Amino acid sequence: MLKRYSLLLAAALLASHLATAQTPTAEPKPLLGFDIPGAATQYELETRFDAQLKTDNLRDWMKRMASHPHHVGSPHGKDNAEFMAGLFKSWGYDTRIDVSYVLFPTPKLRVLEMVAPTQFKASLTEKSLSEDATSGLTAEQLPTYNCFSKDGDVTAELVFVNYGVPRDYEELERRGIDVKGKIVIAKYGGSWRGIKPKVAAEKGAIGCLIYSDPKDDGYWQGDVYPKGAFKPESGAQRGSVLDMPTYPGDPLTPGYGSTKNAKRLDYKKAPTLTQIPVLPISYGDAQPLLAALAGLMAPEAWRGALPIPYHLGPGPAKVHLQLAFNWKTEPVYNVIASMKGSLYPDQWVMRGNHHDAWVNGASDPLSGLVALMEEARVAGELVKSGWRPKRTLMFCAWDGEEPGLLGSTEWAETNAKQLQKNVVAYLNTDNSERGFLFAAGSHTLEKFFNQVARDVTDPQKNISISDRRRAYDLINGSPEAQKDARDRADLRIGALGAGSDYSPYIQHLGIPAMNVGFGGEGEGGEYHSIYDSFDHFTRFKDPNFAYCKVLAQTMGRAALRLVNADVLPFEFQNFSNTVAKYGTEVKQLADNMRTETEKQTRLLAEKRYEAVADPTETLLPPKAREAVPYLNFSPLDNALLKLEQSAQTYALVRKGNPSLTAARKKELDQLLHQAEQQLLSTEGLPRRPWYRHQIYAPGFYTGYGVKTLPGIREAVEERKWAEADEQIKRTAAAVERFAGQVSRAAAVASPPPTQ
């Protein structure tokens, strides 16, 4: 009787919830993984969850944790870890701090000066501001530098290389400019910062400077801080230049955990460190250097907003760059809090965010971290009132993310086998601000996450965060995004590259993952500078912490639904549709390259480039390229067909047979959450075996930016045709393994044969 009463009460509360959301029917909205009574109970739990979220906690925790710099090895970094661990324990979690020991170089010498044609010495300092309470903590701040730069003392002519990505060097070569033996200066943007010294070194440069041009990140965007939000003249972006597209984590322990007694490489031989010295500078320090350049004018698209003509060089500007670092090992403190599941304790739902920052880090990472903490607090309150998660719920605060995903990667490598056995999904956030939902992740979670976003209300518009994002895509999206937003029931989530702590879980271990946040309406040029402060955040990013709270509502729902679902809420038709789309893209890429190569070859033979070239300027014809062969995509096409069929079968079976025995639910869950591991290859990607996922990876020359079907796509882009054939077969094999796992799941979910 009591159980029946509880169900009736839950149904009544669900009806109230739906009425508030202006739903025209009393029928519960469907929830993947739940039957109708289970959905009613879940909605009642989420109503209670929302009611207990406190904005004041978000504000107070951010102010406390951002009160001092908290980089790796800092006293306040350790203090923050201990502070969080104490809170998690008080909320009822089994909590510990796991320590890894990682290489973390800090600068002991930084010199940048122009020695010809005039003398100039860069200040390399950010100005403290009376309007920003923490900007003056100079004794505690890391200076502006690029972590994992090589030591060096070089003097050479300067060359402006735009964003410093491979296509920029092609343009320089057409203008007869060679950077061999030179120091290059590149703008931030266009790609991840670590790609810039990587490509420069490949082209023979001996040093690299990176600056934020005010057109991209400064007064061209609006008033500068403190009057406005944007980067001031002395602001500079710190950041890692570790070659993370090769592997993230401690560069001295590739593929295994950096425990205290782990065997370590000599740092001078570590493959992910830069090969040349590199330094970030402000646009105030960059302007005299760029103004002293002569030679050809930069292409119009390369020119920034400084009040100077943008010449390419080389010279006559000649600069001296000298860098030396303390190559020391530091502890990183990962806070791990868990609440044991009542029914499936060996199935873990992980929620993560990093806690370290380059300086005070209010936006990056604390805007995401305080949301995680509030989610954990309220979940603890729900437990005190009688609720218990069916699966184990974990909250993880990672250290060392900024230098190269050090804490999360080393923890994942140390515990790899257990994580692959037990972790159902990993849910990540990083920084967040006022604006629109953005979400990326495993497409097996796409429909599940669309249901989460459907049920969260945007605080500014009083519509769902999903509807607001759909409106954004319809107006501001690419033509493809506009079509999807108009015609597709579910919003597409993005694919995961690199750039935050999800990377080791999905791309190395094959654990389904999501990365979620809000943005687009907060303003700022504070990124990785001393101005990423509580004062800046509360003026320009999310003054009322409304979107920090919405992030907690969103990710809290995602975690609660995953831990409570009767059957894990994975769905494979959206995944099948998305991977088929990627397949079409790589085939189109090869076709377009073939057409463009044939066109260019004909124009070269006809000497058309010489005919249109201005004889008073240097602009050489492009280099002739090898013809693009017709690749055999049939193994991939066949695998994608099997995936489509298995995904459709699973969907029909689950729709027609929602009830399963406890034993079959457990067996089905195991197949579902380990399906992603079928997409790994033991060999990994070419030249970077740490990345084993065959569907998603960071690009070798994009860094944070994702490459989908990366083995195939990059082989085609790099015109490695034999490798492309091999990668088509390897990717197809992974898709077939995945389709087979989905078929096994469908068999387990099928009704038993009638007697």
Coordinates of all heavy atoms in Angstrom, one line a residue, residues 18-100:
L18 N 5.0 19.0 -15.2 CA 4.7 19.1 -16.6 C 3.8 20.4 -16.9 O 4.0 21.1 -17.9 CB 4.0 17.9 -17.2 CG 4.8 16.6 -17.1 CD1 4.0 15.4 -17.6 CD2 6.0 16.8 -18.0
A19 N 2.9 20.6 -16.0 CA 2.0 21.8 -16.1 C 2.8 23.1 -16.1 O 2.6 24.0 -16.8 CB 0.9 21.8 -15.1
T20 N 3.8 23.1 -15.1 CA 4.7 24.3 -15.0 C 5.5 24.5 -16.3 O 5.7 25.6 -16.7 CB 5.7 24.1 -13.9 OG1 4.9 23.9 -12.7 CG2 6.6 25.3 -13.7
A21 N 5.8 23.4 -17.0 CA 6.6 23.5 -18.2 C 5.7 23.8 -19.4 O 6.1 23.7 -20.5 CB 7.4 22.2 -18.4
Q22 N 4.4 24.0 -19.2 CA 3.4 24.3 -20.2 C 3.3 23.1 -21.2 O 3.1 23.4 -22.4 CB 3.8 25.6 -20.9 CG 3.8 26.8 -20.0 CD 4.1 28.1 -20.7 OE1 4.8 28.1 -21.7 NE2 3.7 29.2 -20.2
T23 N 3.3 21.9 -20.7 CA 3.1 20.8 -21.5 C 1.7 20.5 -21.7 O 0.9 20.5 -20.7 CB 3.8 19.5 -20.9 OG1 5.2 19.9 -20.7 CG2 3.7 18.3 -21.8
P24 N 1.2 20.3 -22.9 CA -0.3 20.2 -23.1 C -0.9 18.9 -22.7 O -2.1 18.8 -22.8 CB -0.4 20.5 -24.6 CG 0.9 20.0 -25.2 CD 1.9 20.3 -24.2
T25 N -0.1 18.0 -22.3 CA -0.7 16.7 -21.9 C -0.2 16.3 -20.5 O 0.9 16.7 -20.1 CB -0.3 15.6 -22.9 OG1 -0.7 14.3 -22.5 CG2 1.3 15.5 -23.1
A26 N -1.0 15.4 -19.9 CA -0.6 15.0 -18.5 C 0.3 13.7 -18.6 O 0.8 13.3 -17.6 CB -1.8 14.6 -17.7
E27 N 0.5 13.2 -19.8 CA 1.4 12.1 -20.0 C 2.8 12.4 -19.7 O 3.3 13.5 -20.1 CB 1.3 11.5 -21.4 CG 0.0 10.7 -21.7 CD -0.1 9.5 -20.8 OE1 0.9 8.7 -20.7 OE2 -1.2 9.3 -20.3
P28 N 3.6 11.6 -19.0 CA 5.0 12.0 -18.7 C 5.8 12.1 -20.0 O 5.6 11.3 -20.9 CB 5.5 10.8 -17.8 CG 4.2 10.1 -17.3 CD 3.2 10.3 -18.4
K29 N 6.7 13.0 -20.0 CA 7.6 13.0 -21.1 C 8.5 11.8 -21.0 O 8.9 11.3 -19.9 CB 8.5 14.2 -21.0 CG 7.8 15.6 -21.1 CD 8.8 16.7 -20.9 CE 8.1 18.0 -20.8 NZ 9.1 19.1 -20.5
P30 N 8.8 11.2 -22.1 CA 9.7 10.0 -22.1 C 11.1 10.2 -21.6 O 11.6 11.3 -21.8 CB 9.7 9.5 -23.6 CG 9.5 10.7 -24.3 CD 8.5 11.6 -23.5
L31 N 11.6 9.3 -20.8 CA 12.9 9.3 -20.4 C 13.6 8.0 -20.8 O 13.2 6.9 -20.3 CB 13.0 9.5 -18.8 CG 12.7 10.9 -18.2 CD1 12.9 10.8 -16.7 CD2 13.5 12.0 -18.9
L32 N 14.7 8.1 -21.5 CA 15.4 6.9 -21.9 C 15.9 6.2 -20.6 O 16.4 6.8 -19.7 CB 16.7 7.3 -22.7 CG 16.5 7.5 -24.2 CD1 17.8 7.9 -24.8 CD2 16.0 6.2 -24.9
G33 N 15.7 4.9 -20.6 CA 16.1 4.1 -19.4 C 15.1 4.0 -18.3 O 15.4 3.2 -17.4
F34 N 14.0 4.7 -18.4 CA 12.9 4.6 -17.4 C 11.6 4.2 -18.0 O 11.3 4.6 -19.1 CB 12.7 6.0 -16.7 CG 13.9 6.5 -16.0 CD1 14.9 7.2 -16.7 CD2 14.1 6.4 -14.6 CE1 16.0 7.7 -16.0 CE2 15.1 6.9 -13.9 CZ 16.1 7.6 -14.6
D35 N 10.8 3.4 -17.2 CA 9.4 3.2 -17.5 C 8.6 4.4 -17.0 O 9.2 5.3 -16.4 CB 8.9 1.9 -17.0 CG 9.0 1.7 -15.5 OD1 9.2 2.8 -14.8 OD2 9.0 0.6 -15.0
I36 N 7.3 4.4 -17.3 CA 6.5 5.6 -16.9 C 6.5 5.9 -15.4 O 6.7 7.0 -15.0 CB 5.1 5.4 -17.4 CG1 5.1 5.5 -19.0 CG2 4.1 6.5 -16.9 CD1 3.8 5.3 -19.6
P37 N 6.3 4.8 -14.5 CA 6.4 5.1 -13.1 C 7.8 5.6 -12.7 O 7.9 6.5 -11.8 CB 6.0 3.8 -12.4 CG 5.2 3.1 -13.5 CD 5.8 3.5 -14.8
G38 N 8.8 5.0 -13.3 CA 10.2 5.4 -13.0 C 10.5 6.8 -13.4 O 11.1 7.6 -12.7
A39 N 9.9 7.3 -14.5 CA 10.1 8.6 -15.0 C 9.4 9.6 -14.0 O 9.9 10.7 -13.7 CB 9.5 8.8 -16.4
A40 N 8.2 9.2 -13.6 CA 7.5 10.1 -12.6 C 8.3 10.3 -11.3 O 8.5 11.4 -10.8 CB 6.1 9.4 -12.2
T41 N 8.9 9.2 -10.8 CA 9.7 9.3 -9.6 C 11.0 10.1 -9.9 O 11.4 10.9 -9.0 CB 10.1 7.9 -9.2 OG1 9.0 7.1 -8.9 CG2 11.0 7.9 -7.9
Q42 N 11.5 10.0 -11.1 CA 12.7 10.7 -11.4 C 12.4 12.2 -11.5 O 13.2 13.1 -11.0 CB 13.3 10.2 -12.7 CG 14.6 10.9 -13.2 CD 15.8 10.7 -12.3 OE1 15.8 9.8 -11.5 NE2 16.7 11.6 -12.3
Y43 N 11.3 12.6 -12.1 CA 11.0 14.0 -12.2 C 10.7 14.6 -10.8 O 11.1 15.7 -10.6 CB 9.7 14.2 -13.1 CG 10.0 14.2 -14.6 CD1 9.3 13.4 -15.5 CD2 10.9 15.2 -15.1 CE1 9.6 13.5 -16.8 CE2 11.1 15.3 -16.4 CZ 10.5 14.4 -17.3 OH 10.7 14.5 -18.6
E44 N 10.1 13.8 -9.9 CA 9.9 14.3 -8.6 C 11.3 14.6 -7.9 O 11.4 15.6 -7.2 CB 9.1 13.3 -7.8 CG 8.7 13.7 -6.4 CD 9.8 13.3 -5.4 OE1 10.5 12.3 -5.6 OE2 9.8 13.9 -4.3
L45 N 12.2 13.7 -8.1 CA 13.6 13.8 -7.5 C 14.2 15.1 -8.1 O 14.8 15.8 -7.3 CB 14.4 12.6 -7.8 CG 15.8 12.6 -7.3 CD1 15.8 12.4 -5.8 CD2 16.7 11.5 -7.9
E46 N 14.1 15.3 -9.4 CA 14.7 16.5 -10.0 C 14.1 17.8 -9.5 O 14.8 18.8 -9.4 CB 14.7 16.4 -11.5 CG 15.6 15.2 -12.0 CD 15.4 14.9 -13.5 OE1 14.7 15.7 -14.2 OE2 16.0 13.9 -14.0
T47 N 12.8 17.8 -9.3 CA 12.1 18.9 -8.7 C 12.7 19.3 -7.3 O 13.0 20.4 -7.0 CB 10.6 18.7 -8.6 OG1 10.1 18.5 -9.9 CG2 9.9 19.9 -8.0
R48 N 12.9 18.2 -6.5 CA 13.5 18.4 -5.2 C 15.0 18.9 -5.4 O 15.5 19.8 -4.6 CB 13.5 17.2 -4.4 CG 12.1 16.8 -4.0 CD 12.0 15.3 -3.6 NE 13.0 14.9 -2.6 CZ 13.4 13.7 -2.3 NH1 12.9 12.7 -3.0 NH2 14.3 13.4 -1.4
F49 N 15.7 18.4 -6.3 CA 17.1 18.8 -6.6 C 17.2 20.3 -6.9 O 17.9 21.0 -6.3 CB 17.7 17.9 -7.7 CG 19.1 18.3 -8.2 CD1 20.1 17.8 -7.5 CD2 19.3 19.2 -9.2 CE1 21.4 18.1 -7.9 CE2 20.6 19.5 -9.6 CZ 21.7 19.0 -8.9
D50 N 16.3 20.7 -7.8 CA 16.3 22.1 -8.2 C 16.0 23.0 -7.1 O 16.6 24.1 -6.9 CB 15.3 22.4 -9.3 CG 15.7 21.9 -10.7 OD1 16.9 21.5 -10.8 OD2 14.9 21.9 -11.6
A51 N 15.1 22.6 -6.2 CA 14.6 23.5 -5.1 C 15.7 23.8 -4.1 O 15.7 24.7 -3.4 CB 13.4 22.8 -4.4
Q52 N 16.7 22.9 -4.1 CA 17.8 23.0 -3.0 C 19.0 23.7 -3.5 O 20.0 23.9 -2.7 CB 18.1 21.6 -2.4 CG 16.9 21.0 -1.7 CD 17.2 19.7 -1.0 OE1 18.0 19.7 0.0 NE2 16.7 18.6 -1.5
L53 N 19.1 24.0 -4.8 CA 20.3 24.7 -5.3 C 20.4 26.1 -4.8 O 19.4 26.8 -4.8 CB 20.3 24.7 -6.9 CG 20.4 23.3 -7.6 CD1 20.1 23.5 -9.1 CD2 21.8 22.7 -7.3
K54 N 21.5 26.5 -4.4 CA 21.7 27.8 -3.7 C 22.8 28.6 -4.5 O 24.0 28.3 -4.5 CB 22.1 27.7 -2.3 CG 21.0 27.1 -1.4 CD 21.5 27.0 0.1 CE 20.4 26.3 0.9 NZ 20.8 26.2 2.3
T55 N 22.3 29.7 -5.1 CA 23.2 30.6 -5.8 C 24.3 31.2 -4.9 O 25.5 31.4 -5.4 CB 22.5 31.7 -6.5 OG1 21.4 31.2 -7.3 CG2 23.4 32.6 -7.4
D56 N 24.0 31.5 -3.7 CA 25.0 32.1 -2.8 C 26.2 31.1 -2.6 O 27.3 31.6 -2.4 CB 24.4 32.4 -1.4 CG 23.5 33.6 -1.5 OD1 23.5 34.3 -2.5 OD2 22.7 33.8 -0.5
N57 N 26.0 29.8 -2.6 CA 27.1 28.9 -2.5 C 28.0 29.0 -3.7 O 29.3 29.0 -3.5 CB 26.6 27.4 -2.4 CG 25.9 27.1 -1.1 OD1 26.2 27.7 -0.1 ND2 25.1 26.0 -1.1
L58 N 27.5 29.2 -4.9 CA 28.3 29.3 -6.1 C 29.2 30.5 -6.0 O 30.4 30.5 -6.2 CB 27.4 29.4 -7.3 CG 26.4 28.2 -7.5 CD1 25.5 28.6 -8.6 CD2 27.2 26.9 -7.8
R59 N 28.6 31.6 -5.6 CA 29.3 32.9 -5.4 C 30.4 32.8 -4.3 O 31.5 33.2 -4.5 CB 28.3 34.0 -5.1 CG 29.0 35.4 -4.9 CD 28.0 36.4 -4.5 NE 27.1 36.7 -5.6 CZ 27.4 37.6 -6.6 NH1 28.5 38.3 -6.5 NH2 26.5 37.9 -7.6
D60 N 30.0 32.3 -3.2 CA 30.9 32.2 -2.0 C 32.1 31.3 -2.3 O 33.3 31.7 -2.0 CB 30.2 31.8 -0.8 CG 29.2 32.8 -0.3 OD1 29.2 33.9 -0.7 OD2 28.3 32.4 0.6
W61 N 31.9 30.2 -2.9 CA 33.0 29.2 -3.2 C 33.9 29.8 -4.2 O 35.1 29.7 -4.1 CB 32.4 27.9 -3.7 CG 31.7 27.1 -2.6 CD1 31.9 27.2 -1.2 CD2 30.6 26.2 -2.8 NE1 31.0 26.3 -0.6 CE2 30.2 25.7 -1.5 CE3 30.0 25.7 -3.9 CZ2 29.2 24.7 -1.3 CZ3 29.0 24.7 -3.8 CH2 28.6 24.3 -2.5
M62 N 33.4 30.4 -5.3 CA 34.2 31.0 -6.3 C 35.1 32.1 -5.7 O 36.3 32.2 -5.9 CB 33.4 31.6 -7.4 CG 34.3 32.3 -8.5 SD 33.5 33.1 -9.8 CE 33.0 31.7 -10.8
K63 N 34.5 33.0 -4.9 CA 35.3 34.1 -4.3 C 36.4 33.5 -3.4 O 37.5 34.0 -3.4 CB 34.3 35.0 -3.4 CG 35.0 36.3 -2.9 CD 34.0 37.2 -2.3 CE 34.7 38.5 -1.9 NZ 33.8 39.5 -1.4
R64 N 36.1 32.5 -2.6 CA 37.1 31.9 -1.7 C 38.2 31.2 -2.5 O 39.4 31.4 -2.2 CB 36.4 30.9 -0.8 CG 37.3 30.4 0.3 CD 37.7 29.0 0.1 NE 38.5 28.5 1.2 CZ 39.6 27.8 1.2 NH1 40.1 27.5 0.0 NH2 40.1 27.3 2.3
M65 N 37.8 30.4 -3.5 CA 38.8 29.7 -4.2 C 39.6 30.5 -5.2 O 40.8 30.1 -5.6 CB 38.2 28.5 -4.9 CG 37.5 27.5 -3.9 SD 36.6 26.2 -4.7 CE 37.9 25.2 -5.3
A66 N 39.1 31.6 -5.7 CA 39.8 32.5 -6.6 C 40.5 33.7 -5.9 O 41.0 34.6 -6.5 CB 38.8 33.1 -7.6
S67 N 40.6 33.6 -4.5 CA 41.2 34.7 -3.8 C 42.7 34.8 -3.9 O 43.3 35.8 -3.6 CB 40.8 34.6 -2.3 OG 41.3 33.3 -1.8
H68 N 43.3 33.7 -4.4 CA 44.8 33.6 -4.6 C 45.1 32.8 -5.8 O 44.2 31.9 -6.2 CB 45.5 33.0 -3.4 CG 45.4 33.8 -2.1 ND1 46.3 34.8 -1.8 CD2 44.5 33.8 -1.1 CE1 46.0 35.4 -0.7 NE2 44.9 34.8 -0.2
P69 N 46.2 33.0 -6.4 CA 46.6 32.1 -7.5 C 46.6 30.6 -7.1 O 47.1 30.3 -6.0 CB 48.0 32.6 -8.0 CG 47.9 34.1 -7.6 CD 47.1 34.1 -6.3
H70 N 46.2 29.7 -7.9 CA 46.1 28.3 -7.5 C 46.6 27.4 -8.7 O 45.9 26.5 -9.1 CB 44.8 27.9 -7.0 CG 43.6 28.3 -7.8 ND1 42.9 27.5 -8.6 CD2 43.0 29.5 -8.0 CE1 41.9 28.1 -9.2 NE2 41.9 29.4 -8.8
H71 N 47.8 27.7 -9.2 CA 48.4 26.8 -10.2 C 49.0 25.6 -9.5 O 49.1 25.5 -8.3 CB 49.5 27.6 -10.9 CG 50.5 28.3 -10.0 ND1 50.3 29.5 -9.5 CD2 51.7 27.8 -9.5 CE1 51.4 29.8 -8.8 NE2 52.2 28.8 -8.7
V72 N 49.5 24.7 -10.4 CA 50.1 23.5 -9.9 C 51.3 23.9 -9.0 O 52.1 24.7 -9.3 CB 50.6 22.6 -11.1 CG1 51.6 21.5 -10.6 CG2 49.5 22.0 -11.8
G73 N 51.4 23.2 -7.8 CA 52.5 23.5 -6.9 C 52.3 24.7 -6.0 O 53.2 25.0 -5.2
S74 N 51.2 25.4 -6.1 CA 51.0 26.6 -5.3 C 50.3 26.2 -4.0 O 49.6 25.2 -3.9 CB 50.1 27.6 -6.0 OG 48.8 27.0 -6.2
P75 N 50.6 27.0 -2.9 CA 50.0 26.7 -1.6 C 48.4 26.7 -1.7 O 47.7 25.9 -1.1 CB 50.5 27.8 -0.7 CG 51.8 28.2 -1.3 CD 51.6 28.0 -2.8
H76 N 47.9 27.7 -2.5 CA 46.4 27.8 -2.5 C 45.8 26.7 -3.3 O 44.7 26.3 -3.1 CB 46.0 29.2 -3.1 CG 44.6 29.5 -2.8 ND1 44.1 29.6 -1.5 CD2 43.6 29.8 -3.7 CE1 42.8 29.9 -1.6 NE2 42.5 30.1 -2.9
G77 N 46.6 26.1 -4.3 CA 46.1 25.0 -5.0 C 45.8 23.8 -4.1 O 44.8 23.1 -4.2
K78 N 46.8 23.5 -3.3 CA 46.6 22.4 -2.3 C 45.5 22.8 -1.3 O 44.7 21.9 -1.0 CB 48.0 22.2 -1.6 CG 47.9 21.0 -0.6 CD 49.2 20.8 0.1 CE 49.1 19.6 1.1 NZ 50.4 19.5 1.9
D79 N 45.5 24.0 -0.9 CA 44.5 24.4 0.1 C 43.1 24.2 -0.5 O 42.1 23.8 0.2 CB 44.7 25.9 0.5 CG 43.7 26.4 1.5 OD1 43.6 25.9 2.6 OD2 42.8 27.2 1.1
N80 N 42.9 24.6 -1.8 CA 41.6 24.4 -2.4 C 41.2 22.9 -2.5 O 40.0 22.6 -2.3 CB 41.6 25.0 -3.9 CG 41.4 26.5 -3.9 OD1 41.0 27.1 -2.9 ND2 41.7 27.1 -5.0
A81 N 42.2 22.1 -2.8 CA 41.9 20.6 -2.8 C 41.4 20.2 -1.5 O 40.5 19.4 -1.4 CB 43.1 19.9 -3.3
E82 N 42.1 20.6 -0.4 CA 41.7 20.1 0.9 C 40.4 20.7 1.3 O 39.6 20.1 2.0 CB 42.8 20.5 1.9 CG 44.1 19.8 1.7 CD 45.3 20.3 2.5 OE1 45.2 21.5 3.0 OE2 46.3 19.6 2.6
F83 N 40.1 22.0 0.9 CA 38.8 22.6 1.2 C 37.7 21.8 0.6 O 36.7 21.5 1.2 CB 38.9 24.0 0.7 CG 37.5 24.7 0.6 CD1 36.9 25.1 1.8 CD2 36.9 25.0 -0.6 CE1 35.7 25.8 1.8 CE2 35.7 25.7 -0.6 CZ 35.1 26.0 0.6
M84 N 37.9 21.4 -0.7 CA 36.8 20.7 -1.4 C 36.6 19.3 -0.7 O 35.5 18.8 -0.6 CB 37.2 20.5 -2.9 CG 37.0 21.8 -3.7 SD 37.3 21.5 -5.4 CE 39.0 21.3 -5.4
A85 N 37.8 18.6 -0.4 CA 37.7 17.3 0.2 C 36.9 17.4 1.5 O 36.1 16.5 1.8 CB 39.1 16.7 0.4
G86 N 37.1 18.4 2.3 CA 36.4 18.6 3.5 C 34.9 18.7 3.3 O 34.1 18.2 4.0
L87 N 34.5 19.5 2.3 CA 33.1 19.7 1.9 C 32.5 18.4 1.5 O 31.4 18.0 1.9 CB 33.0 20.8 0.9 CG 33.2 22.2 1.3 CD1 33.1 23.1 0.1 CD2 32.3 22.7 2.4
F88 N 33.2 17.7 0.6 CA 32.6 16.4 0.1 C 32.4 15.4 1.2 O 31.3 14.8 1.3 CB 33.5 15.8 -1.0 CG 33.5 16.4 -2.3 CD1 34.6 16.9 -2.9 CD2 32.3 16.6 -3.0 CE1 34.6 17.5 -4.2 CE2 32.2 17.2 -4.3 CZ 33.4 17.7 -4.8
K89 N 33.3 15.4 2.2 CA 33.1 14.5 3.3 C 31.9 14.9 4.2 O 31.1 14.1 4.6 CB 34.4 14.5 4.2 CG 35.6 13.8 3.6 CD 36.8 13.8 4.5 CE 38.0 13.1 3.8 NZ 39.3 13.3 4.7
S90 N 31.8 16.2 4.4 CA 30.6 16.7 5.2 C 29.3 16.4 4.5 O 28.3 16.4 5.2 CB 30.8 18.2 5.4 OG 30.6 19.0 4.3
W91 N 29.3 16.2 3.2 CA 28.1 16.0 2.4 C 27.8 14.5 2.3 O 26.8 14.1 1.7 CB 28.2 16.6 1.0 CG 28.3 18.1 1.0 CD1 27.9 18.9 2.0 CD2 29.0 18.8 0.0 NE1 28.2 20.2 1.6 CE2 28.9 20.2 0.4 CE3 29.6 18.5 -1.2 CZ2 29.4 21.3 -0.3 CZ3 30.2 19.6 -1.9 CH2 30.1 20.9 -1.5
G92 N 28.7 13.6 2.9 CA 28.4 12.2 3.0 C 29.1 11.4 2.0 O 28.8 10.2 1.8
Y93 N 30.1 11.9 1.3 CA 30.9 11.1 0.3 C 32.1 10.5 0.9 O 32.8 11.1 1.8 CB 31.3 12.0 -0.8 CG 30.1 12.5 -1.7 CD1 29.4 13.7 -1.3 CD2 29.7 11.9 -2.8 CE1 28.4 14.2 -2.0 CE2 28.6 12.3 -3.6 CZ 28.0 13.5 -3.2 OH 26.9 13.9 -3.9
D94 N 32.4 9.3 0.4 CA 33.7 8.7 0.7 C 34.7 9.4 -0.1 O 34.7 9.4 -1.3 CB 33.6 7.2 0.3 CG 34.9 6.5 0.6 OD1 35.8 7.0 1.3 OD2 35.1 5.3 0.2
T95 N 35.6 10.2 0.5 CA 36.5 11.2 -0.1 C 37.9 10.9 0.1 O 38.3 10.6 1.3 CB 36.1 12.6 0.3 OG1 34.7 12.8 0.1 CG2 36.9 13.6 -0.5
R96 N 38.7 11.1 -0.9 CA 40.2 11.0 -0.7 C 40.9 12.0 -1.7 O 40.2 12.5 -2.6 CB 40.7 9.6 -1.0 CG 40.5 9.1 -2.4 CD 41.0 7.7 -2.6 NE 41.1 7.3 -4.0 CZ 40.0 6.8 -4.7 NH1 38.9 6.6 -4.1 NH2 40.2 6.4 -6.0
I97 N 42.1 12.3 -1.5 CA 42.9 13.0 -2.4 C 44.0 12.1 -2.9 O 44.8 11.6 -2.2 CB 43.5 14.3 -1.7 CG1 42.4 15.2 -1.3 CG2 44.5 15.0 -2.7 CD1 43.0 16.5 -0.5
D98 N 44.0 11.8 -4.2 CA 45.0 11.0 -4.9 C 46.0 11.9 -5.5 O 45.7 12.9 -6.1 CB 44.3 10.2 -6.0 CG 43.5 9.0 -5.5 OD1 43.5 8.8 -4.2 OD2 42.8 8.3 -6.3
V99 N 47.3 11.6 -5.2 CA 48.4 12.4 -5.6 C 49.2 11.7 -6.7 O 49.6 10.6 -6.6 CB 49.3 12.7 -4.4 CG1 50.4 13.7 -4.8 CG2 48.5 13.3 -3.3
S100 N 49.5 12.5 -7.8 CA 50.4 12.1 -8.8 C 51.6 13.1 -8.8 O 51.5 14.2 -8.3 CB 49.8 12.0 -10.2 OG 48.8 11.1 -10.3

